[in-house]
């Protein structure tokens, strides 16, 4: 500990340019004033010490009581986060820490640097066990959209966890042996990047090697500590600070930022990529004919043709687990629909698959299982494009797998994963729905006329719950072709004794006169406040807005996504065009019986549309009720706790 | 005229049962019916126009009452009344002018002589001319004396007419009816060909590679688009199907057979697609005097979406759709609720409802309106057979087709003019 600190302090004063500089041997006294009065430093440090850039890294790190350790981890993060000396060099003033430490490295203080890496790595691990506390704190967080407030709160939270961190640190040091463990994909990438960066910065080879060595142990280190305290609640609190430092800062390291940007989606007008993807496909879909030019970038296949074929292959398919296969076919046939239902079905299929999983020889569970899951996911995508909530769930699962400590036995790891999945389903979907219902019901008053569009399970729960509470209100169910999901909702509501009015989407302007509130579900809420939802939602919101009727969107926070979208065309899902040609229950409408033979005619069955945020009065989520402008805040907060759950 | 009454009753029944669809068909048949009514009406010697107007008005009242929502019926009745008035007036002026011409030709110089009718006839003709033609700058500026005769037209016009009428009643009585029927034939012709006139303007509005969106089906829109296609413009059309009648399917089929690139979308996808659309072109059920449109259900939504994305919202309407009334609460008063069976099967929800308990109100209502009202501020342009017009100009357009006396058909007229 002591030795480490020595080198650290050499670099620190340069960074801060404040009077905390302490000569090597005994850093403690220099830090004491801070430690003695943490709240002051909390509030003041961002103001008093305005580091030109990367302020959050420092400011958030400083206030923590056990500053010695904490602060170092904060300082470490600059080089670690980016793995990229050149970049941090570009970062100008605050960065000197990394070059200087590098100098120290070059000077032979090898172990020094690697220690630094350990520390960082375990902080990463802490972050991973974060969600417990995040969930508890969620409502307040969302309420205070201002990031400053939040960061303060979490800083306070660190007070408790601080001690634990110190202990952790000690443990880590003792357990820093398993250096050369197997690397995961992410690690290898990190390593590569570090090397590249090192080359770029023009330093000698030995240093880059040092860096890479530092990078390698990132993951393995976690295992011992994690194993010891399982999912430690107290620790996770402190970790929230660490990750705050990284994400909440004004200027996170470049690498981090790049990671934040979601990868571009597969564009299906890119021939070569489509060909490549097809090679691995289990489901051999045939391209639909008469496709709409505007939607070349989305997949559209002949519907229903491949289902019998796949069903016959049920027992032959080797690579796909039967549970996965079953759920995939259900997606394909449309038996499971609705964001939550699909997500739960997928997670449960994953759970089954994980329970039946056994690691092949000469492979590690983490890597092999991740690959397996990926192949399952691509199978699902072949059946039906994933919803954004599902994508988030998969991201969660993959992080959990990659964060598994290597020392866990296979059965333990599997049990941990299964419980994680259960936890996700309960916390993020089922409980979240209940919270949303509680929130939304407060907005329903006696005599209201509520409009619901399509069939959203959350909205249905809200209506039923309000009815149970004895509120007197009427429901207008608006429906649209081709799915006519509203009829199912109508049936369930009427069966429960609610007074309903049923109409179709064209009659909106007629019916909107009497409506007092509009409740809508969402497939996803994007970070620019756009609501991505069942097609027609935008029209409903628009008409409601024109009639000055408030629009409430009900959406679980796991469906939030940092992607942005302005229109409904860049990303969407195409349904079966035949469903448009045929009108169920109307034999008189048969003008388009053989439409496929007419080359000039295309039928477009869009599944989703994007509702602009200015039509939306409020988004009801499990974090509380927020305006659409606060979505990015939730996304940022939530993603962190979600990915590192 | 028993056979006429049969015809009228037959038509009224059809209107009541909503057997006639589309304002064009309705207006054409109304005009044809009124033509036969007029041809059967026995015309008295005096006040023939008044007799005709009374007859038409009586039938018109019944027709309008049969389907008050079908504004085209009222429009045509008013148009016919207007035509009768016009013909009467023009006959009168022509007759008087003819008289005047015969008399004036020889005694131009001795205007001191007591030929008051001659003078007044000339004055009437001048007045008629001056209404058609704007006064020249000179007359405005110098107040030329010869136009000073105009002021006493009103006083002298009446008795001159009376005198001229008595002059050749027999020829005129037949002539008025004949002229009115001629004009009615013209009107019917106009109604049947109005979409051709509208379609002629297509090239002025549709450009190469444009994307057009329409909802439901309208003959006028179909002809309009095809006219542009024939002029070698290639463009694509999005057709919203227009639930619950799904006329969009029909339109899509027709467009495809004419070789247009057509994409059929659901009504709910209109908002999603409108950002890629260059122009919305729709038909109308009726155009109100304030520029508002009574349109097939769903169009208000489309208009709002178009406004949001600043897409021009163009309404095609033949002149028979111009209604001289101002709408009040049109969503309800000028609307019609169709059968719920178009949305839900009757049997489908019977199991959900407990009729045995006998509560006063059923739990389930189904709303299936026919029309939407699109306020004038959402309409960019009207294209009629007389050209393109702003919504704010519609009231003026209407003044060309209807006389103010006829706006209220139901009320008994005080006196026929």
């Amino acid at each position: 500990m002591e030795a480490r600190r020595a080198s650290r302090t050499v670099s620190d004063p340069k960074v801060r340019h404040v009077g905390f500089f302490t000569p090597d041997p005994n850093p403690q006294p220099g830090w004491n004033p801070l430690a003695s009065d943490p709240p002051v430093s909390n509030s003041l440090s961002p103001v008093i010490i305005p580091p030109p850039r990367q302020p959050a890294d420092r400011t958030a790190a400083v206030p923590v009581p056990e500053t010695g350790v904490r602060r170092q981890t904060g300082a470490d993060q600059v080089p670690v986060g980016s793995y990229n000396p050149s970049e941090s060099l570009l970062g100008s003033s605050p960065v000197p820490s990394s070059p200087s430490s590098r100098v120290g490295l070059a000077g032979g203080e090898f172990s020094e640097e690697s220690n630094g890496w350990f520390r960082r790595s375990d902080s990463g691990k802490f972050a991973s066990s974060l969600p417990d506390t995040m969930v508890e704190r969620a409502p307040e967080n969302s309420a205070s959209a201002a990031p400053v407030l939040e960061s303060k709160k979490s800083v306070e939270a660190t007070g408790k966890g601080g001690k634990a961190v110190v202990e952790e640190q000690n443990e880590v040091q003792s357990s820093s042996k398993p250096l050369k463990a197997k690397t995961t994909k992410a690690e290898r990438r990190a390593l590569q990047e570090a090397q590249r960066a090192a080359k770029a910065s023009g330093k000698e080879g030995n240093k880059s090697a040092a860096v890479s060595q530092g990078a390698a142990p990132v993951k393995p280190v976690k295992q011992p500590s994690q194993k010891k305290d399982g999912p430690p609640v107290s620790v996770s609190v402190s970790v929230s600070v660490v990750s705050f430092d990284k994400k909440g800062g004004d200027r996170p390291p470049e690498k981090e930022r790049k990671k934040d940007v979601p990868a571009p989606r597969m564009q299906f007008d890119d021939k070569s990529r489509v060909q490549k993807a097809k090679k691995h496909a289990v489901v051999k879909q045939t391209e639909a004919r008469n496709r709409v030019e505007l939607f070349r970038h989305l997949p559209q296949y002949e519907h229903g043709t491949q289902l019998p074929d796949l069903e016959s292959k049920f027992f032959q398919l080797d690579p796909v687990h039967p549970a996965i296969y079953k759920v995939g076919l259900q997606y394909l046939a449309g038996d499971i629909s609705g964001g939550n239902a699909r997500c739960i079905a997928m997670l449960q299929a994953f759970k089954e698959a994980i329970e039946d999983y056994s690691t092949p020889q000469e492979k590690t569970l983490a890597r092999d299982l991740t690959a397996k899951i990926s192949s399952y996911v691509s199978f699902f995508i072949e059946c039906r494009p994933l919803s954004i909530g599902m994508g988030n769930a998969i991201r969660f699962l993959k992080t959990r797998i990659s964060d598994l400590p290597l020392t866990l036995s296979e059965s333990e790891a599997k049990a941990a994963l299964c419980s994680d999945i259960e936890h996700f389903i309960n916390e993020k979907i089922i409980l979240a729905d209940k919270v949303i219902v509680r929130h939304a019901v407060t907005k329903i008053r006696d005599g209201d006329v509520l409009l619901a569009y399509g069939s959203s399970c959350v909205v249905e729960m809200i209506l039923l719950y309000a009815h149970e509470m004895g509120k007197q209100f009427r429901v207008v169910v608006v429906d649209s072709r081709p799915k006519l999901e509203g009829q199912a909702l109508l049936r369930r509501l009427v069966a429960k004794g609610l007074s309903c009015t049923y109409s179709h989407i064209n009659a909106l302007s007629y019916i909107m006169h009497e409506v007092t509130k509009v409740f809508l579900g969402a497939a996803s809420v994007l970070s620019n406040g756009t609501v991505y939802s069942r097609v027609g939602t935008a029209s409903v919101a628009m008409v409601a807005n024109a009639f000055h009727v408030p629009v409430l969107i009900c959406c679980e926070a796991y469906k939030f996504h940092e992607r942005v979208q302005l229109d409904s065309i860049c990303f969407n899902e195409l349904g079966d065009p035949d469903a448009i040609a045929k009108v169920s229950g109307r034999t008189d409408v048969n003008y388009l019986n053989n439409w496929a033979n007419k080359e000039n005619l295309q039928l477009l069955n869009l599944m989703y549309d994007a509702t602009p945020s200015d039509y939306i009065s409020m988004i009801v989520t499990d974090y509380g009720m927020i305006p659409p402008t606060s979505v990015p805040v939730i996304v940022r907060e939530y993603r962190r706790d979600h990915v590192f759950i | 005229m028993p056979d006429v009454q049969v015809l009228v009753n037959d038509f009224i029944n059809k209107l009541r049962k909503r057997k006639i669809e589309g304002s064009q068909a309705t207006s054409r048949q109304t005009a044809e019916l009124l033509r036969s009514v007029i041809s059967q009406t026995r015309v008295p010697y005096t006040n023939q126009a008044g007799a005709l107007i009374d007859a038409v008005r009586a039938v018109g009242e019944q027709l309008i009452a049969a389907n008050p929502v079908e504004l085209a019926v009222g429009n045509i009745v008013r148009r016919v009344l207007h035509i009768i008035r016009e013909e009467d007036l023009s006959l009168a002026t022509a007759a008087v002018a003819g008289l005047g011409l015969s008399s004036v030709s020889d005694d131009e110089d001795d205007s001191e002589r007591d030929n008051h009718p001659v003078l007044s006839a000339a004055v009437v003709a001048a007045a008629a001319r001056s209404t058609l033609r704007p006064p020249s700058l000179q007359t405005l500026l110098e107040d030329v004396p010869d136009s000073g005769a105009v002021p006493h037209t009103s006083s002298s016009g009446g008795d001159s007419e009376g005198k001229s009428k008595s002059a050749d009643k027999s020829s005129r009585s037949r002539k008025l009816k004949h002229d009115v029927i001629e004009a009615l034939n013209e009107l019917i012709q106009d109604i049947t060909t109005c979409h051709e006139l509208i379609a002629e303007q297509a090239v002025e509005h549709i450009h190469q590679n444009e994307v057009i969106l329409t909802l439901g089906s309208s003959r006028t829109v179909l002809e309009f688009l095809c006219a542009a296609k024939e002029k070698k413009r290639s463009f694509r059309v999005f057709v919203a199907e227009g639930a619950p009648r799904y006329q969009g399917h029909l339109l899509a089929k027709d467009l495809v057979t004419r070789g247009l690139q057509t994409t059929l979308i659901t009504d709910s996808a209109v908002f999603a697609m409108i950002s890629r659309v260059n122009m919305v072109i729709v038909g109308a059920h009726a155009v109100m005097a304030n520029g508002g449109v009574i349109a097939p259900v769903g169009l208000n939504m489309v208009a709002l979406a178009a406004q949001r994305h600043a897409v021009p919202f163009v309404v095609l309407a033949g002149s028979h759709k111009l209604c001289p009334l101002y709408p009040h609460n049109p969503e309800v008063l000028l609307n019609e609720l169709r059968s719920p069976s178009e949305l839900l099967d009757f049997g489908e929800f019977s199991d959900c409802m407990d009729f045995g308990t006998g509560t006063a109100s059923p739990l389930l209502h189904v709303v299936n309106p026919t029309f939407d009202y699109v306020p004038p501020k959402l309409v960019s342009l009207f294209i009629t057979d007389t050209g393109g017009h702003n919504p704010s100009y519609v009231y003026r357009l209407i003044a060309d087709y209807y006389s103010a006396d006829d706006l209220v058909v139901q009320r008994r007229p005080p006196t026929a003019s």
Side-chain angles (χ1 to χ4, degrees), chain A residues 203-231:
Chain A
K203 306 256 167 166
E204 310 84 313
N206 73 337
K207 206 215 64 197
S208 78
V211 172
S212 63
Q213 268 198 334
V218 165
K219 292 289 148 73
V221 171
K222 293 173 200 161
Q223 306 146 14
S225 57
Q226 173 131 18
K227 192 179 162 194
K228 265 176 208 156
D229 44 32

Side-chain angles (χ1 to χ4, degrees), chain B residues 35-358:
Chain B
R35 184 176 60 185
S36 52
V37 167
I38 287 170
S39 64
Q40 299 284 326
T41 308
R42 217 178 290 273
V43 186
Y45 282 133
T46 55
N47 197 10
Q48 302 144 345
L52 282 184
I53 286 173
D54 280 346
V56 169
R57 203 182 275 267
V59 174
E61 263 180 63
Q62 299 176 47
L63 295 184
I64 292 173
N67 187 354
V69 176
E70 185 53 272
L71 295 166
V73 176
N75 295 347
I76 293 304
V77 171
R78 290 186 187 99
R79 284 283 288 274
V80 172
L81 291 175
H82 181 66
I83 284 172
I84 296 172
R85 284 173 208 277
E86 288 272 293
E87 289 299 332
D88 188 35
L89 184 68
S90 71
L91 261 185
T93 52
V96 171
L99 273 179
L101 213 73
S102 56
S103 56
V104 165
S105 55
D106 52 350
D107 49 20
E108 182 88 67
D109 47 347
D110 49 357
S111 54
E112 311 306 318
R113 229 174 42 167
D114 182 26
N115 55 352
H116 197 78
V118 177
L119 177 71
S120 74
V123 165
V124 166
R129 249 181 282 128
S130 69
T131 54
L132 295 175
R133 218 185 311 137
S136 74
L137 260 187
Q138 199 189 9
T139 53
L140 280 177
L141 206 61
E142 295 169 5
D143 195 14
V144 182
D146 63 1
S147 66
V150 174
H152 50 257
T153 27
S154 50
S155 61
S156 60
D159 67 343
S160 84
E161 215 172 276
K163 281 182 186 174
S164 63
K165 252 181 207 163
S166 56
D168 52 355
K169 289 169 202 159
S170 53
S171 70
R172 271 200 60 204
S173 69
R174 252 172 278 124
K175 194 149 191 318
L176 175 66
K177 224 161 102 173
H178 178 76
D179 284 357
V180 167
I181 287 172
E182 274 297 286
L184 263 179
N185 283 336
E186 231 169 79
L187 174 66
I188 293 168
Q189 190 69 23
D190 277 354
I191 293 170
T192 46
T193 60
C194 76
H195 46 72
E196 287 168 24
L197 287 171
I198 295 175
E200 272 175 19
Q201 306 167 53
V203 276
E204 292 175 30
H205 297 281
I206 298 180
H207 200 256
Q208 190 81 10
N209 284 336
E210 291 215 49
V211 180
I212 311 267
L213 184 134
T214 184
L215 181 138
S217 177
S218 156
R219 171 97 189 274
T220 324
V221 171
L222 175 69
E223 297 290 337
F224 193 79
L225 295 176
C226 292
K229 166 78 179 167
E230 277 157 24
K231 293 279 167 28
K232 304 293 177 222
R233 296 276 157 85
S234 79
F235 54 94
R236 41 181 58 248
V237 185
F238 284 111
V239 182
E241 57 186 6
R245 300 188 61 202
Y246 305 108
Q247 295 281 303
H249 290 230
L250 187 61
L251 181 67
K253 188 182 155 207
D254 289 344
L255 287 174
V256 166
T257 49
R258 309 255 190 125
L260 273 158
Q261 277 287 330
T262 310
T263 306
L264 185 72
I265 61 173
T266 54
D267 302 317
S268 46
V270 164
F271 189 90
M273 299 310 300
I274 200 125
S275 60
R276 298 296 190 272
V277 166
N278 297 108
M279 190 189 276
V280 179
I281 298 179
V282 294
H285 174 69
V287 178
M288 306 307 288
N290 66 343
V293 182
I294 307 287
V297 70
L299 270 185
N300 191 39
M301 197 175 72
V302 177
L304 282 170
Q307 188 200 36
R308 161 87 188 187
H309 291 90
V311 177
F313 186 83
V314 177
V315 176
L316 308 183
S319 54
H320 58 274
K321 293 185 181 179
L322 296 176
C323 177
L325 303 177
Y326 285 83
H328 169 68
N329 196 6
E331 287 95 340
V332 178
L333 295 184
L334 291 176
N335 215 333
E336 198 169 40
L337 294 179
R338 293 167 68 91
S339 159
S341 66
E342 288 180 334
L343 299 186
L344 289 180
D345 280 340
F346 280 125
E348 205 174 336
F349 275 76
S350 53
D351 56 326
C352 293
M353 283 174 285
D354 189 8
F355 293 110
T357 56

Side-chain angles (χ1 to χ4, degrees), chain A residues 481 487 491 500-504 506 509-510 538 542 567 569 580 586 591 600-604 612 614-615, chain B residues 241 243-244 246 249 253 261-264 267 271 276 297-298 300-301 305 308 343 348 363 365 367-368:
Chain A
R481 283 242 305 140
Q487 289 191 4
R491 181 180 294 277
C500 293
T501 304
Y502 179 79
S503 195
H504 55 90
N506 276 343
S509 326
Y510 179 87
M542 174 186 66
D567 58 23
I569 292 168
I580 295 201
R586 293 285 292 276
Y591 311 109
N600 278 335
L601 180 64
Q602 297 113 23
L603 304 189
L604 178 64
D614 49 339
Y615 289 152
Chain B
E241 57 186 6
Y246 305 108
H249 290 230
K253 188 182 155 207
Q261 277 287 330
T262 310
T263 306
L264 185 72
D267 302 317
F271 189 90
R276 298 296 190 272
V297 70
N300 191 39
M301 197 175 72
R308 161 87 188 187
L343 299 186
E348 205 174 336
L363 281 176
H365 295 267
V367 177
N368 183 13

Side-chain angles (χ1 to χ4, degrees), chain A residues 602-621:
Chain A
Q602 297 113 23
L603 304 189
L604 178 64
N605 185 0
L606 272 189
M607 301 285 274
Y608 296 97
D609 66 9
T611 309
S613 60
D614 49 339
Y615 289 152
I616 295 158
S617 321
M618 177 197 277
I619 298 175
V620 186
T621 170

